[in-house]
């Protein structure tokens, strides 16, 4: 008997005692001993028909009450009510008994439910404990499996090499082939022995190295003693070289001509020759052109310009003395010869995928050095597509930021040109005088007064700066040659279709419906007509020096007009695309958010995500991506967007969803592995 049953028995006994004491009456039954447990008898009765008994009892009581009510209406039937009263009392006692049985059954059911819940909670707690222990054991197993010893970081020789090279006293094949642990120990021991041997060899090699260094010092001393002997041999062989026309003699002739150059051109020749010797003549060739007899007949007139130019900014036009003649028409001749060039010029040929020939000239009266493009190869077959891409007049524009060569860097010469001689417009040209770029003055060793005092350099710093400026300038010209050559071939490929590199085209689906219908060069005025042109120009994104082209992409009735501006610094500065759409009306980026989003995708997001291996064909890749995005733009258009009407274009591209967010963004990012378009 458990504790619960004991409690129930004790509670029943207490209730029986209370009932006995409460109903005790002085009669015979109270004197006789009664050992009957009424509560236990009630509990043993079946409780299945309690509800039916309750209904039956209620019906009987209802009938009795009805009869009593009828009997009380008449005085003659009052005895009937008295007779029925004991029956009603018995029925009431029966209802109390049924109520006690119901309460007892309810308590019994609740106790059984609680007992079952306790067993379930105990089982669940036991299950949680087992699960925690299993998880803990799994973690411990994982730690053991992931444990890495320090010896695993040592790169050991392979097992085949170990058995092949190691002696049997170390390898012990009869043991190590059957025991991986012993094999590991043997390989580690063999690695230690090898490292000790290599350390010994390293010490011996260092000793040998010191011996070689000592021998080399002795050889250098011997070579230093041979140098005077070689110089005497070269001097003795000079007559023979002059008769045989050897290259050394030709170089000496060129060096002799350099004596007749102006001071600034001489500095240029010396620095360019040093650069050529450093790179073995692979990048540049230097020549001097001109007639020495013209120098003898040169009539410099420095006294005519002394009051305009100032002696502080003037150079000697030549180191050869020239006769001076006076005349009555000095002023008129100075006006005519204000752009007079020195007879001797320096010609520099630079080759990098293509070739450019530059001619450097010294303007005597303006005291500046100019450069002109004599030839540029390969020459373009047609200018209908490329425009000014390979034009000699503009090829060197903005080689460095802001340097257009339109004005003289010498402030005194600007005063002469505009005030004294009435040159209101730009007097420089590629065919006559050349262009006085600032970088030309730097590599020629010229320094003029600058409006900004911080830009002034000391003369020593200036000449130290020339070699670095020479290398930087030639490298920049080579980069310009390479980039323009790449642009030339890219633009030629746009004549019929967008011929993107096959590897790049493979990143996109093959079904591209938008086609290029037109590609022509246009003037800067076309860019100014764009509503965002002024803002872009103020931000420095586009400039007047850019090459401007107009393209047109067509698909069905939709026509996308594209203004492409290519900065002189391409590909450092990427091309900028300005878009306008002619479909169900005319739309620009200011009036249509979807078109502005497409322009942002081409100019910003695509350029940032483009791989470096496609930078050589940046323009073609941008045009190809624009054609694909234009397809997505048209195919994701629906009646709920800014354009109304039924779908005109078949949806050929697979997209994640046609638009997203309140801005109705389009999925322009192509996932090449799956061939779908998603959002950035």
């Amino acid at each position: 008997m458990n504790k619960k049953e004991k409690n129930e028995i004790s509670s029943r006994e207490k209730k029986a005692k209370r009932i006995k004491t409460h109903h005790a009456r002085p009669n015979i039954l109270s004197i006789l001993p009664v050992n009957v447990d009424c509560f236990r008898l009630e509990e043993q009765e079946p409780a299945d028909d309690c509800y039916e008994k309750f209904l039956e009892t209620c019906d009987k009581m209802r009938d009795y009450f009805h009869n009593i009510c009828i009997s009380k209406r008449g005085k003659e039937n009052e005895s009937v009510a008295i007779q029925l009263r004991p029956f009603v009392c018995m029925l009431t006692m029966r209802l109390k008994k049924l109520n006690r049985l119901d309460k007892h059954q309810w308590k019994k059911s609740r106790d059984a439910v609680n007992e079952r819940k306790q067993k379930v909670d105990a089982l669940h707690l036991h299950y949680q404990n087992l699960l925690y222990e299993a998880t803990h054991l799994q973690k411990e197993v994982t730690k053991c499996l992931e444990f890495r010893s320090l010896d695993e970081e040592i790169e050991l020789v392979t097992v085949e090499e170990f058995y092949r090279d190691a002696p049997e006293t170390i390898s012990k094949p009869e043991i190590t082939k059957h025991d991986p642990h012993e094999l590991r120990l043997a390989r580690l021991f063999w690695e230690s022995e090898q490292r000790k041997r290599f350390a010994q060899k390293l010490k011996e090699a260092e000793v040998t190295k010191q011996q070689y260094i000592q021998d080399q010092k002795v050889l250098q001393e011997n070579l230093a003693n041979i140098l005077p002997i070689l110089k005497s041999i070269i001097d003795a062989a000079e007559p023979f070289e002059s008769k045989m026309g050897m290259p050394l003699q030709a170089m000496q002739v060129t060096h002799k001509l350099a004596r007749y150059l102006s001071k600034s051109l001489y500095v240029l020749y010396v620095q360019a020759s040093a650069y050529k010797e450093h790179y073995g003549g692979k990048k540049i060739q230097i020549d001097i052109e001109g007639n020495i007899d013209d120098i003898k007949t040169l009539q410099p007139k420095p006294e005519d310009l002394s009051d305009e130019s100032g002696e502080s900014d003037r150079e000697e036009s030549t180191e050869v003395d020239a006769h001076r003649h006076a005349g009555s028409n000095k002023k008129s001749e100075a006006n005519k010869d204000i752009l007079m060039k020195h007879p001797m010029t320096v010609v520099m040929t630079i080759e990098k995928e293509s070739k450019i020939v530059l001619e450097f000239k010294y303007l005597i009266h303006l005291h500046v050095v100019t450069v002109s493009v004599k030839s540029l190869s390969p020459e373009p077959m047609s200018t209908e597509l490329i425009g000014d891409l390979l034009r000699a007049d503009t090829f060197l524009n903005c080689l460095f930021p802001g340097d257009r060569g339109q004005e003289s860097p010498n402030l005194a010469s600007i005063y002469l040109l505009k005030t004294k001689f009435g040159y209101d417009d730009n007097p420089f040209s590629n065919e006559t005088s050349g262009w006085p770029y600032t970088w030309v003055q730097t590599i020629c060793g010229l320094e003029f007064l600058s409006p900004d005092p911080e830009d002034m350099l000391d003369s020593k710093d200036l000449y130290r700066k020339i070699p670095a400026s020479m290398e930087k300038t030639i490298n920049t010209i080579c980069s310009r040659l390479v980039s323009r050559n790449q642009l030339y071939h890219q633009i030629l490929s746009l004549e019929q279709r967008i011929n993107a590199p096959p590897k790049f085209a493979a990143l996109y689906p093959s079904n591209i419906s938008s086609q290029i219908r037109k590609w022509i060069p246009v003037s800067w005025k076309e860019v100014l007509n764009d509503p965002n042109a002024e803002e872009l120009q103020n931000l420095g994104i586009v400039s007047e020096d850019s090459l401007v082209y107009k393209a047109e992409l067509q698909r069905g009735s939709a026509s996308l007009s594209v203004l492409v501006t290519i900065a002189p610094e391409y590909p450092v500065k990427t091309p900028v695309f300005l878009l306008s759409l002619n479909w169900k009306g005319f739309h620009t980026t200011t009036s249509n958010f979807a078109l502005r989003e497409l322009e942002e995708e081409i100019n910003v997001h695509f350029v940032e995500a483009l791989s470096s291996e496609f930078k050589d064909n940046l323009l073609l890749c941008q045009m190809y991506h624009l054609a694909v995005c234009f397809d997505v733009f048209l195919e994701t258009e629906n009646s709920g967007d800014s354009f109304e009407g039924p779908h005109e274009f078949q949806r050929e591209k697979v997209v994640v969803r046609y638009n997203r967010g309140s801005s109705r963004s389009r999925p322009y990012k192509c996932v090449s592995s799956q061939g779908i378009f998603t959002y950035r």
Side-chain angles (χ1 to χ4, degrees), residues 271 457-470:
Q271 295 295 335
L457 296 174
D458 186 74
S459 59
K460 296 181 180 179
D461 296 333
L462 174 63
Y463 283 97
R464 291 173 183 172
K465 183 182 176 183
I466 293 176
S469 300
M470 174 66 69

Side-chain angles (χ1 to χ4, degrees), residues 513-528:
S513 302
S514 299
Q515 300 295 329
I516 185 169
R517 300 301 181 191
K518 181 172 64 175
W519 177 278
I520 57 172
V522 294
S523 63
W524 175 251
K525 295 181 180 179
E526 292 284 339
V527 179
L528 297 179

Side-chain angles (χ1 to χ4, degrees), residues 101-118:
L101 291 176
D102 179 66
K103 298 295 182 182
H104 175 72
Q105 293 297 330
W106 175 80
K107 181 177 179 302
K108 187 177 181 180
S109 300
R110 186 182 60 181
D111 294 340
V113 170
N114 291 335
E115 184 180 358
R116 181 65 63 180
K117 286 176 61 177
Q118 290 178 359

Side-chain angles (χ1 to χ4, degrees), residues 375-480:
S375 64
L376 186 64
S377 60
E379 296 183 358
M381 295 180 294
S382 172
T383 59
E384 295 179 359
L385 291 176
I386 65 172
D388 296 337
L389 182 65
L390 297 178
R391 182 181 170 188
D393 292 348
T394 59
F395 187 82
L396 297 176
N397 275 6
C398 294
L399 196 64
F400 296 97
D403 193 2
R404 297 180 177 86
Q406 302 293 327
E407 294 184 354
S408 173
N410 187 359
L411 299 179
S413 63
I414 296 176
Y415 173 76
L416 285 174
L417 290 170
K418 294 187 177 180
T419 306
K420 296 298 181 181
F421 299 104
Y423 281 99
D424 294 331
D425 299 329
N426 179 20
F428 302 105
S429 65
N430 189 73
E431 291 76 17
T432 58
S433 61
W435 306 98
Y437 295 105
T438 303
W439 57 268
V440 177
Q441 319 308 316
T442 303
I443 62 178
C444 291
L446 293 178
E447 182 72 15
F448 302 103
L449 290 174
S450 174
D452 189 0
E454 296 180 358
D455 294 339
M456 295 299 297
L457 296 174
D458 186 74
S459 59
K460 296 181 180 179
D461 296 333
L462 174 63
Y463 283 97
R464 291 173 183 172
K465 183 182 176 183
I466 293 176
S469 300
M470 174 66 69
E471 182 176 4
K472 182 179 180 181
T473 301
I474 293 178
N475 291 335
T476 306
I477 294 175
C478 291
S479 300
R480 177 68 61 87

Side-chain angles (χ1 to χ4, degrees), residues 253-258 260-262 265 269 285-295 341-349 357-362 372 374-375:
V253 173
T254 306
H255 292 338
K256 288 180 180 179
L257 289 176
Y260 298 96
L261 292 170
S262 64
L265 291 181
Y269 176 78
Q285 296 293 331
I286 310 297
D287 294 315
I288 297 177
E289 294 183 355
N291 193 352
I292 301 177
D293 296 334
D294 295 337
I295 298 178
K341 302 184 291 294
H342 192 275
M344 305 298 291
T345 61
V346 176
V347 178
M348 183 185 299
T349 304
V357 180
L358 305 177
E359 184 178 12
F360 294 85
K361 310 167 188 176
Y362 178 74
S372 61
K374 290 188 67 175
S375 64

Side-chain angles (χ1 to χ4, degrees), residues 351-363:
E351 293 186 49
K352 187 67 180 291
E353 295 187 5
S354 57
K355 184 171 72 173
I356 185 173
V357 180
L358 305 177
E359 184 178 12
F360 294 85
K361 310 167 188 176
Y362 178 74
L363 302 185

Side-chain angles (χ1 to χ4, degrees), residues 210-440:
Q210 295 297 329
Q211 294 177 356
Y212 287 151
I213 291 174
Q214 296 296 331
D215 297 340
Q216 187 179 7
K217 289 182 179 179
V218 175
L219 292 176
Q220 287 178 350
E221 293 177 358
N222 295 335
L223 290 175
N225 297 330
I226 294 174
L227 184 61
I229 301 174
L230 292 177
K231 288 183 178 180
S232 61
I233 294 174
I234 291 173
D235 295 337
E238 184 176 356
F240 175 75
E241 291 177 355
S242 60
K243 291 182 180 180
M244 297 298 295
M246 297 179 68
L248 182 60
Q249 184 65 25
M251 291 177 60
Q252 290 181 355
V253 173
T254 306
H255 292 338
K256 288 180 180 179
L257 289 176
R259 300 175 185 175
Y260 298 96
L261 292 170
S262 64
K263 182 179 179 181
S264 54
L265 291 181
Y266 183 81
V267 172
L268 172 65
Y269 176 78
V270 172
Q271 295 295 335
S273 299
Y275 183 87
K276 175 185 174 181
E277 290 180 7
H278 177 69
Y279 286 96
K282 294 181 180 180
K283 286 188 176 181
I284 64 172
Q285 296 293 331
I286 310 297
D287 294 315
I288 297 177
E289 294 183 355
N291 193 352
I292 301 177
D293 296 334
D294 295 337
I295 298 178
K296 297 178 180 179
T297 58
L298 186 64
Q299 300 177 7
K301 309 176 185 61
E303 67 278 8
D304 297 336
L305 305 174
S306 59
D307 55 341
E308 294 88 353
S309 61
E311 295 179 358
S312 60
D313 295 325
R314 185 176 301 163
E315 287 186 13
E316 291 292 333
S317 64
T318 179
E319 293 182 3
V320 180
D321 293 334
H323 298 284
R324 301 179 181 180
H325 298 278
S328 60
N329 57 350
K330 290 180 181 179
K331 192 70 176 179
S332 60
E333 289 181 358
N335 194 2
K336 292 180 181 179
D337 300 333
I338 190 67
L339 298 177
M340 179 186 294
K341 302 184 291 294
H342 192 275
M344 305 298 291
T345 61
V346 176
V347 178
M348 183 185 299
T349 304
I350 303 176
E351 293 186 49
K352 187 67 180 291
E353 295 187 5
S354 57
K355 184 171 72 173
I356 185 173
V357 180
L358 305 177
E359 184 178 12
F360 294 85
K361 310 167 188 176
Y362 178 74
L363 302 185
I364 299 173
H365 301 310
L366 298 182
H367 307 291
V368 295
V369 179
T370 62
V371 61
S372 61
V373 179
K374 290 188 67 175
S375 64
L376 186 64
S377 60
E379 296 183 358
M381 295 180 294
S382 172
T383 59
E384 295 179 359
L385 291 176
I386 65 172
D388 296 337
L389 182 65
L390 297 178
R391 182 181 170 188
D393 292 348
T394 59
F395 187 82
L396 297 176
N397 275 6
C398 294
L399 196 64
F400 296 97
D403 193 2
R404 297 180 177 86
Q406 302 293 327
E407 294 184 354
S408 173
N410 187 359
L411 299 179
S413 63
I414 296 176
Y415 173 76
L416 285 174
L417 290 170
K418 294 187 177 180
T419 306
K420 296 298 181 181
F421 299 104
Y423 281 99
D424 294 331
D425 299 329
N426 179 20
F428 302 105
S429 65
N430 189 73
E431 291 76 17
T432 58
S433 61
W435 306 98
Y437 295 105
T438 303
W439 57 268
V440 177

